[in-house]
Amino acid sequence: MEIHEILESLKAGKTSINNAKKLLSLYSIEEIEGFAKIDINRRKRRGIPEVIFAETKELDENKKILKKILEKTNSVIISRIKKEDYPKILSFAKKLKVKIRTGKNSSSLLLFKKPIKFHGGKVGIITAGTSDIGVAEESRLMCEAMNCKCITRYDVGVAGIQRIFPVLKEMINEDVDCIIVAAGMEGALATLVSTLVDIPIIGIPTSVGYGYGEKGIAALASMLQSCSLGLSVVNIDNGIAAGGIAANIANRANRKNISN
């Protein structure tokens, strides 16, 4: 039974509350051949779409999960696709006749059936260097999947600090609800941005860097130790999480503005 059928049956007195609860619980999880359980109603419950972490899955498993999710929902993100699987996933998506959004320097994809309408909030996305773009693009795909308009400005780090000021002026003029800052090496850009604007900042330490504090360790430590309030931090290279948090903030702010 579909959700509306369960609710209509409950309203008509044809089923009990306990049975309706059981049916709704069953509807919310889709099992695939014993190896995956998909949270189909996550979008309705939390506003966050289903995300497939492809890096640790076999190609055939990813295909089966993709197909099932797209049968039940409008969109899905598949992240961290193996290099050898990427063209095969693209080809499979085209066979499913769904629309595809790719990310620059990223191995993640946003797949969707009906056009995504940007009726949510606005999110600014900034990177310190060009090496951070792939992670930032994961955030963009996630925000767009959650109906947010994204304003992206890349390669504006502290090595040429003068580059950041016109970018932040633009973000303020665009009235973004949240700013994501992806930075590797020492990760200083996130702290700098958070000292200059009254907008929630989400820092993504990236694994760009070498030697002492390599692989994002120094950037993570720097962001966590920031003395600038208003900065929150996700794990190293976790663009998906940053996008989900930023879009939730932006969409909630947008709903508040509309209601007022």
Side-chain angles (χ1 to χ4, degrees), residues 47-224:
I48 295 176
E50 185 66 90
V51 180
I52 303 169
F53 181 58
E55 191 173 82
T56 56
K57 296 180 180 65
E58 297 300 319
L59 176 62
D60 189 53
E61 292 175 336
N62 284 320
K63 286 180 176 180
K64 288 176 181 177
I65 295 170
L66 273 175
K67 189 173 185 294
K68 178 60 71 173
I69 292 174
L70 288 169
E71 284 174 0
K72 297 290 182 178
T73 66
N74 183 58
S75 64
V76 60
I77 289 177
I78 177 164
S79 71
R80 306 296 174 89
I81 304 167
K82 297 172 190 173
K83 187 176 181 179
E84 63 271 21
D85 289 347
Y86 189 85
K88 297 172 185 176
I89 292 291
L90 275 176
S91 177
F92 180 70
K94 289 173 183 176
K95 287 178 182 177
L96 293 177
K97 296 182 179 179
V98 297
K99 297 175 180 64
I100 304 166
R101 279 203 181 141
T102 60
K104 184 179 180 181
N105 300 343
S106 169
S107 61
S108 299
L109 298 170
L110 167 58
L111 309 179
F112 55 100
K113 295 181 292 188
K114 297 177 183 178
I116 294 174
K117 297 178 181 179
F118 299 126
H119 52 65
K122 289 183 183 179
V123 177
I125 305 176
I126 297 170
T127 72
T130 55
S131 298
D132 307 311
I133 289 175
V135 172
E137 286 284 282
E138 282 190 357
S139 294
R140 179 183 64 80
L141 292 175
M142 188 66 171
C143 289
E144 289 183 353
M146 294 173 66
N147 306 107
C148 286
K149 178 182 177 182
C150 293
I151 300 164
T152 59
R153 297 294 179 265
Y154 298 152
D155 195 25
V156 292
V158 297
I161 199 170
Q162 70 277 10
R163 298 174 295 180
I164 192 62
F165 300 110
V167 169
L168 291 182
K169 184 177 179 180
E170 180 187 9
M171 297 283 178
I172 292 167
N173 288 338
E174 286 282 350
D175 197 23
V176 298
D177 302 296
C178 187
I179 297 176
I180 295 170
V181 181
M185 304 301 279
E186 83 289 9
L189 184 63
T191 288
L192 174 66
V193 171
S194 71
T195 67
L196 296 172
V197 297
D198 63 347
I199 302 168
I201 307 298
I202 300 170
I204 313 173
T206 70
S207 53
V208 177
Y210 50 86
Y212 183 74
E214 66 179 352
K215 298 180 181 178
I217 299 300
L220 174 62
S222 174
M223 290 185 191
L224 288 174

